[in-house]
Amino acid sequence: MHILVIGAGGREHALCWAIANSPSCDALYCAPGNGGIADNAICVDVNPSDHNAVITFCRDKEIGLVVVGPEAPLVDGLVDSLDEAGIKSFGPNKAAAQLEASKGFTKDLCKRHNIPTAAYERFTEAAPAKKFLDNFDAPYVIKADGLAAGKGVIIAETRADAEAAIDEIFGGAFGSAGNELVVEEFLKGEEASFFALTDGTNILPLVTAQDHKRVGEGDTGPNTGGMGAYSPAPVMTDDLCQQVIEEIITPTVKGMAAEGMPYKGVLYAGLMITNKGPELIEYNVRFGDPECQVLMMRLKSDIVPLLTACHDGTLNQCTADWHDDTAITVVMASEGYPGAYPKGTVIKNVREAAKETDCQIFHAGTARDGDTLTATGGRVLNVTALGSSVSDAAVRAYSAVDKIDWPDGFVRRDIGWRAIEREKEG
Ligand code: AMP
Ligand code: GLY
C-alpha cells in the first residue's frame, strides 16, 4: 500500500518510522515532513490545508491510506474531504474532532453521558463567568473554548488573576478560540494520559504515558508542547486502566456514535487521577507529541492494519502487542523556547548519537541540506530510548543526548523524575 502521513513534527517522524517498518507499506510520503522524516519517507511539498491538492496528490500516487498527525487538519475537515473523494484516512472527521476543538462541547458530552470530569460552566460574557468563580476556591481554572496552541488553559492562583484571565480571553488574546470560555473546578492528583484506538464502535486500548509540560526542571516555568515523556505511566495500574476504559472511553465512543458523530481514530485522554478515581481533563483527537514517540518505540505490532481498521470498522479483529520495556523521550529544544528562539542553528553528530542501543532520534523541527542539519523550530529533536525501567531508559537517552553537538539547544535533565523516584522507593 502507498501511504501519506500529514504533518512535520516528532510525532509524525515516529509514525513514519513505524509505518516504514510495516510489511504492508510499499511507498511512504510525508507532507511536508522534515529533515529527519526524510530518512523514512519521501517528503512532499503539499499543503494540508489545500484539500484539493491533497486529493490530487493521493490520486496521482495511488495512496491507500492518509494518516493525519496534527489536530489542525482534522478540525479543518481534511478527513471529510478525503471521505468524499473515496480516499481512506486515519483520524476523526470534523464533527468528531470537536472533542478537541471545543472544550465546552466535550464538557457537555461528559455531562450527558455521566463521564467523570471537573464541575464547570460555559460562558460567552465576562460578568457571569466572574460571578461563577464564587463557587470555587483558588486555584481557578479558566479555559478558552477553542484551539489555542496549548496556551488556552489558565490556572490562576488568585481571584484577581482569574478575573484578569477572563478579560484577556474575551479581549481576544486567543482570537476566535476565546469567543467562549469554560470555568471549571481545579482537580488535585497526578496526571496521566491514556490512548485508545476506535473505529466508531469497537475500542482497542493502547497504553499509558506521562509527559512533562513545563519548560524547567522540577516541572517549573512556562508550559510547552511537552519537554519529554515516558510510557507506561506507573500511576496507571491495570485496575485504573480498566476504570478509564469503562467510565471514560466507552461512554465517549458510545455517546458520540449515538449522537450521530461516530469517532474514528485515536482518542488521547488527558486524565487526573484524583482520590475519587480518574477524571477527564481533556480529549485530544490525535496522538500526543512527544507521547507518540514513546508509544511507537513500545509497539511491537504492525501499525498499518491497526490504523486501517479504525477506518474500516474492523478493530474488533485487531490486537496490539507491546514491549514490556519502558520508553522515554527527551526533547531537545532551541535555547529560548517556548519564547523566541533563533532558527537555522547547526546540529552535529545526530546519526552517531542514534547508534546508542535501543535508541531512536526522532526529528521535530529540522531541515537537512546535504550533510548539514539545522534547527527550524522550538522543539527540534526527540531522543528516545527503551530500557528495563524508566531509570535505565533515561540513562540511554541522556547518553545519546550528550553525544549531540548543538550549542544552541537545551534539554530538561529530569525527564521521568516522578517515575524514577517511585522506582527508587521500590
Ligand atoms: P490542557 O491544555 O487542556 O492540556 O491543560 C493544560 C494543563 O492544565 C493540564 O495538563 C493540567 O495540568 C492543567 N489543567 C487543566 N484543567 C485542569 C483542572 N480542571 N484541574 C487541574 N489542572 C488542570
Ligand atoms: N504533549 C501534549 C500534547 O500532545 O498535547
Side-chain angles (χ1 to χ4, degrees):
M1 191 187 341
H2 297 182
I3 300 174
L4 169 67
V5 172
I6 302 284
R11 167 182 47 215
E12 288 75 30
H13 192 181
L15 288 171
C16 283
W17 173 74
I19 292 169
N21 284 332
S22 166
S24 49
C25 177
D26 300 312
L28 179 59
Y29 300 89
C30 187
N34 67 36
I37 291 176
D39 288 342
N40 304 105
I42 300 169
C43 295
V44 290
D45 188 15
V46 178
N47 177 1
S49 52
D50 183 346
H51 296 186
N52 285 333
V54 176
I55 290 165
T56 303
F57 178 83
C58 289
R59 291 199 170 127
D60 189 34
K61 300 293 183 193
E62 298 178 344
I63 298 293
L65 177 69
V66 179
V67 180
V68 186
E71 63 278 16
L74 295 167
V75 170
D76 183 38
L78 180 58
V79 164
D80 306 62
S81 300
L82 291 168
D83 276 348
E84 274 168 34
I87 298 163
K88 211 178 261 196
S89 60
F90 172 78
N93 63 16
K94 187 175 174 133
Q98 287 183 90
L99 279 179
E100 180 164 356
S102 166
K103 299 205 186 296
F105 171 89
T106 300
K107 298 296 286 189
D108 286 353
L109 184 93
C110 288
K111 193 186 269 178
R112 287 195 297 277
H113 298 281
N114 247 337
I115 297 166
T117 190
Y120 76 103
E121 284 287 334
R122 302 172 73 168
F123 296 96
T124 52
E125 284 172 39
K130 290 178 184 172
K131 179 87 182 85
F132 186 68
L133 296 171
D134 289 348
N135 295 292
F136 305 112
D137 297 322
Y140 302 94
V141 184
I142 295 124
K143 303 184 172 182
D145 183 72
L147 290 184
K151 299 192 179 78
V153 174
I154 294 142
I155 313 280
E157 295 299 334
T158 65
R159 176 83 183 226
D161 286 352
E163 297 199 0
I166 290 170
D167 286 332
E168 244 175 66
I169 292 174
F170 285 134
F174 303 104
S176 62
N179 289 347
E180 188 177 329
L181 60 73
V182 172
V183 176
E184 69 179 45
E185 168 198 11
F186 180 81
L187 297 173
K188 286 196 200 74
E190 186 169 339
E191 276 183 65
S193 304
F194 186 91
F195 297 85
L197 294 179
T198 171
D199 58 15
T201 308
N202 304 293
I203 295 166
L204 179 67
L206 300 179
V207 289
T208 60
Q210 272 172 311
D211 74 345
H212 294 268
K213 285 196 165 68
R214 305 295 194 96
V215 73
E217 272 150 36
D219 294 323
T220 55
N223 265 331
T224 68
M227 292 301 293
Y230 50 96
S231 170
V235 65
M236 293 300 293
T237 58
D238 289 348
D239 283 352
L240 272 176
C241 287
Q242 202 48 43
Q243 207 179 341
V244 170
I245 294 164
E246 281 168 20
E247 295 177 8
I248 298 179
I249 305 290
T250 303
T252 301
V253 171
K254 281 193 176 157
M256 291 294 282
E259 295 185 21
M261 296 170 280
Y263 184 94
K264 295 179 173 202
V266 61
L267 264 181
Y268 159 3
L271 305 168
M272 189 69 86
I273 311 307
T274 72
N275 55 19
K276 287 189 292 180
E279 299 205 25
L280 181 74
I281 299 178
E282 60 161 4
Y283 272 126
N284 294 309
V285 299
R286 47 167 176 89
F287 283 105
D289 189 349
E291 292 90 331
C292 184
Q293 290 78 316
V294 285
L295 262 57
M296 292 305 115
M297 279 297 269
R298 290 188 60 214
L299 181 64
K300 275 204 264 185
S301 307
D302 182 350
I303 190 173
V304 173
L306 301 179
L307 302 178
T308 312
C310 289
H311 179 278
D312 293 347
T314 53
L315 209 51
N316 53 336
Q317 297 163 23
C318 298
T319 52
D321 292 325
W322 302 89
H323 290 286
D324 288 332
D325 281 354
T326 295
I328 194 168
T329 188
V330 175
V331 172
M332 295 188 83
S334 297
E335 204 63 71
Y337 175 79
Y341 51 83
K343 284 192 182 175
T345 58
V346 176
I347 312 166
K348 291 184 186 149
N349 226 24
V350 175
R351 288 202 202 280
E352 200 50 39
K355 290 181 185 155
E356 186 75 35
T357 315
D358 284 334
C359 176
Q360 290 293 327
I361 300 182
F362 299 117
H363 293 222
T366 66
R368 194 182 284 286
D369 183 7
D371 282 341
T372 306
L373 188 70
T374 54
T376 57
R379 293 191 295 170
V380 172
L381 295 170
N382 307 141
V383 182
T384 313
L386 278 175
S388 57
S389 60
V390 183
S391 323
D392 186 39
V395 168
R396 273 194 194 137
Y398 282 111
S399 161
V401 163
D402 290 335
K403 290 187 183 131
I404 295 173
D405 176 6
W406 184 30
D408 303 285
F410 76 98
V411 294
R412 267 183 66 167
R413 283 274 154 196
D414 65 344
I415 299 305
W417 68 266
R418 212 186 282 270
I420 290 169
E421 270 179 16
R422 266 206 178 86
E423 287 174 1
K424 280 190 195 141
E425 284 163 12

